[in-house]
Amino acid sequence: MTLLANPLAQGIQEYRIADPCTIVIFGATGDLSARKLLPSLFNLARQRLFPPGTCVVGAALDDISEEEFKNRAADSIRQHSRTQPVDPGLLADFLSALHYQPVKFDESSGFESLKSKLDELDSRRQTGGNRIFYCAVPPQAFPLLVEQIGKTGLAEQGQAYRRIVFEKPFGTDLLTARELTATINRVFPEQSVFRIDHYLGKETVQNIAAFRFANVLFEPVWNNQYVDSLQITVAEELGVELRGGYYDHAGALRDIVQNHLLQVLALVTMEPPVSFDQGSVRDEKVKVLRSISPISGDAVAERTVRAQYSAGWVQGRKVPGYREEQFVSPDSTTETYVALKLGIDNWRWAGVPIFARTGKRMPKRITEVRIQFKRPPHLTFGMDSVREVEPNAIVLRIQPEEGISLGFAAKVPTAGIRLRSVNMDFLYTSSFLVDTPDAYERLILDCMVGDATLFTRADEVDAAWTLIDPIEEAWRSGSQPVVSYPSGSWGPTEAEQLLARDGGQWRRL
């Protein structure tokens, strides 16, 4: 990898140049490819982050021509690209590097044809045989896909690299995750496996480490001596939409908490890594995940809330309840909302309660982390002067408006002493005057250069499932019923009570 400074960017952007490669998208005609992957690849090419010769090969079940695939790709890019309007010349250049090969995952003949096509492209476009296999397919297809790749010799590396990318969910519990890892590692070594979590590609998530470790102001108070509590919220205004069949077997705990939420928590609470490289960062994330106190037995009822949205109104629109959604069982007990009280058993965070929640059909879409600090030990200005003052807090906003807010007390400009809480806000768009790249752009480029820092390692997956499995087991036993909350609310009253027992309340969003 070569790093080239752009003198016009003034430190804002760093161009990372990868070696030429062929990117194979399995499931290239699906929704993920249309909405995220193809637009992200186009924007990488638009920014000239593709080395000469790099090409993209779509591989899917649809028996369509290469021309038809290119037409579909063009429509997807015009509709979903973050840069609008799409430049016709740049789009034409990108489409010229786009190819297609029909492949049925249970038939070796399609993979043999794909291998011949890739060999021909390697020779014609001088990619050196480097390949990335992106599995944009349902998780149940992962083992068969890996088996076919191994059987046809597509994973044989030699002097070139072969990398494979998997979307979440990675397994449905600890046992299935380990079985899937073993299946993959029979074909691909662990260093060639990239488990993607698009949350880790968001600028604010990456900036958590920069905020903590590049500023001497914050890291000294990032511990239980000064921090009173942490709150993590991952809220969506959408319901399950057309994903009811998948979601009714997954639920919020597996769909969001096991990956997105725990990954964000690990970055917020991990110890300073020796350097910001893939080994050091992921080592520290694993350490802190293993330090989280497991919730099991009687503690599940005390420290968890599971709920399901009922009919209501969201942003002025009447919406059905979860059990009324398409492909959802009318007597389903699957949770669409989870609230947890967590704790980390290490020197830095011992005694600090961590409250996490995620839910669908919330009033709005928002993801943020709130670090609330303790109150001053002495009220110098008297109780009356600080009635309107909240404790100091740092809020890391991950979406939709990526940025950081710092809350502190300031004197109201009146006679006498009266204090009020105020905020200092940092927004990416206004501070850097650049369009924030899509998370998939960053992560695909990282994979191309072989940087797995923002991808999940096998032991991270194991540590996360170790925390989730006891909760799932207790819920399946029926010891804790599913409560309901109206669509358009911030969740059930039980979630408020979870914090009230510690004298707190959820932050108003």
Side-chain angles (χ1 to χ4, degrees), residues 275-349:
S275 62
F276 203 75
D277 61 71
Q278 55 185 308
S280 300
V281 171
R282 297 198 290 182
D283 285 347
E284 296 303 335
K285 286 165 62 183
V286 171
K287 287 179 186 177
V288 77
L289 286 173
R290 289 174 175 168
S291 299
I292 297 175
S293 308
I295 304 175
S296 59
D298 294 339
V300 173
E302 299 172 2
R303 295 168 56 189
T304 74
V305 175
R306 61 191 298 227
Q308 210 178 70
Y309 64 79
S310 57
W313 295 82
V314 178
Q315 299 181 355
R317 182 170 62 94
K318 186 171 177 58
V319 296
Y322 175 70
R323 295 180 183 179
E324 301 161 8
E325 297 277 16
Q326 192 175 11
F327 308 122
V328 173
S329 171
D331 58 355
S332 172
T333 59
T334 300
E335 76 285 351
T336 64
Y337 178 98
V338 175
L340 305 171
K341 179 185 177 182
L342 302 170
I344 299 176
D345 290 334
N346 63 19
W347 277 34
R348 181 184 289 266
W349 296 110

Side-chain angles (χ1 to χ4, degrees), residues 439-504:
Y440 278 95
E441 293 177 37
R442 168 65 190 263
L443 294 171
I444 291 171
L445 182 59
D446 280 357
C447 184
M448 291 173 65
V449 300
D451 183 356
T453 304
L454 299 177
F455 294 81
T456 311
R457 206 166 58 190
D459 52 354
E460 288 183 70
V461 175
D462 285 1
W465 279 122
T466 300
L467 296 170
I468 298 302
D469 279 1
I471 301 174
E472 283 279 3
E473 183 179 352
W475 285 357
R476 283 196 300 268
S477 71
S479 60
Q480 187 177 15
V482 179
V483 298
S484 67
Y485 62 98
S487 293
S489 71
W490 283 109
T493 56
E494 286 82 356
E496 298 294 340
Q497 295 165 3
L498 186 68
L499 273 75
R501 289 195 287 268
D502 285 87

Side-chain angles (χ1 to χ4, degrees), residues 60-344:
L61 300 175
D62 301 59
D63 190 10
I64 58 175
S65 68
E66 192 161 278
E67 192 62 31
E68 172 62 19
F69 177 64
K70 289 185 178 185
N71 290 336
R72 292 188 188 186
D75 291 341
S76 298
I77 291 167
R78 293 190 190 100
Q79 183 177 355
H80 298 292
S81 173
R82 66 178 174 86
T83 55
Q84 296 290 342
V86 172
D87 184 280
L90 293 175
L91 180 57
D93 287 343
F94 176 74
L95 294 177
S96 68
L98 203 59
H99 306 271
Y100 184 75
Q101 177 65 49
V103 173
K104 293 183 179 179
F105 298 161
D106 58 351
E107 296 180 5
S108 298
S109 58
F111 287 85
E112 294 290 352
S113 298
L114 176 62
K115 184 176 187 299
S116 298
K117 190 179 194 73
L118 295 179
D119 290 341
E120 186 270 328
L121 287 171
D122 288 342
S123 176
R124 176 155 57 92
R125 300 186 67 92
Q126 300 296 302
T127 63
N130 297 322
R131 295 170 192 167
I132 295 174
F133 302 102
Y134 199 114
C135 301
V137 298
Q140 57 267 29
F142 290 169
L144 178 59
L145 190 53
V146 170
E147 181 184 344
Q148 293 283 24
I149 290 173
K151 188 186 300 182
T152 51
L154 286 167
E156 295 176 3
Q157 301 198 22
Q159 297 299 314
Y161 68 72
R162 301 283 196 274
R163 296 170 186 152
I164 189 163
V165 183
F166 294 98
E167 284 280 337
K168 76 170 187 71
F170 196 86
T172 57
D173 54 24
L174 180 59
L175 178 61
T176 57
R178 285 179 171 173
E179 288 175 347
L180 181 54
T181 292
T183 298
I184 294 168
N185 289 161
R186 284 195 287 269
V187 179
F188 291 91
E190 180 62 27
Q191 63 267 26
S192 297
V193 180
F194 289 70
R195 299 170 188 83
I196 197 168
D197 185 337
H198 70 270
Y199 262 53
L200 299 187
K202 294 179 180 293
E203 284 293 334
T204 305
V205 174
Q206 298 169 52
N207 203 41
I208 291 171
F211 183 77
R212 287 183 58 188
F213 305 133
N215 297 291
V216 72
L217 290 174
F218 304 116
E219 182 59 19
V221 297
W222 213 267
N223 55 60
N224 56 9
Q225 298 300 307
Y226 299 94
V227 175
D228 178 75
S229 64
L230 299 178
Q231 285 187 25
I232 303 177
T233 298
V234 181
E236 299 178 273
E237 82 278 11
L238 297 175
V240 294
E241 307 309 312
L242 299 178
R243 298 171 66 235
Y246 158 75
Y247 199 89
D248 210 33
H249 290 90
L253 188 66
R254 289 190 237 187
D255 189 50
I256 298 295
V257 178
Q258 186 272 335
N259 40 75
H260 298 336
L261 201 149
L262 288 180
Q263 284 291 317
V264 171
L265 174 59
L267 285 171
V268 171
T269 58
M270 71 181 184
E271 294 299 312
V274 174
S275 62
F276 203 75
D277 61 71
Q278 55 185 308
S280 300
V281 171
R282 297 198 290 182
D283 285 347
E284 296 303 335
K285 286 165 62 183
V286 171
K287 287 179 186 177
V288 77
L289 286 173
R290 289 174 175 168
S291 299
I292 297 175
S293 308
I295 304 175
S296 59
D298 294 339
V300 173
E302 299 172 2
R303 295 168 56 189
T304 74
V305 175
R306 61 191 298 227
Q308 210 178 70
Y309 64 79
S310 57
W313 295 82
V314 178
Q315 299 181 355
R317 182 170 62 94
K318 186 171 177 58
V319 296
Y322 175 70
R323 295 180 183 179
E324 301 161 8
E325 297 277 16
Q326 192 175 11
F327 308 122
V328 173
S329 171
D331 58 355
S332 172
T333 59
T334 300
E335 76 285 351
T336 64
Y337 178 98
V338 175
L340 305 171
K341 179 185 177 182
L342 302 170
I344 299 176

Side-chain angles (χ1 to χ4, degrees), residues 325-382:
E325 297 277 16
Q326 192 175 11
F327 308 122
V328 173
S329 171
D331 58 355
S332 172
T333 59
T334 300
E335 76 285 351
T336 64
Y337 178 98
V338 175
L340 305 171
K341 179 185 177 182
L342 302 170
I344 299 176
D345 290 334
N346 63 19
W347 277 34
R348 181 184 289 266
W349 296 110
V352 176
I354 300 169
F355 300 99
R357 61 177 171 172
T358 181
K360 289 186 173 294
R361 292 294 191 211
M362 302 278 98
K364 60 183 177 180
R365 171 177 170 264
I366 186 169
T367 300
E368 69 166 39
V369 180
R370 175 183 172 86
I371 300 96
Q372 180 170 306
F373 293 90
K374 296 179 179 179
R375 292 187 178 275
H378 174 63
L379 296 177
T380 303
F381 302 101

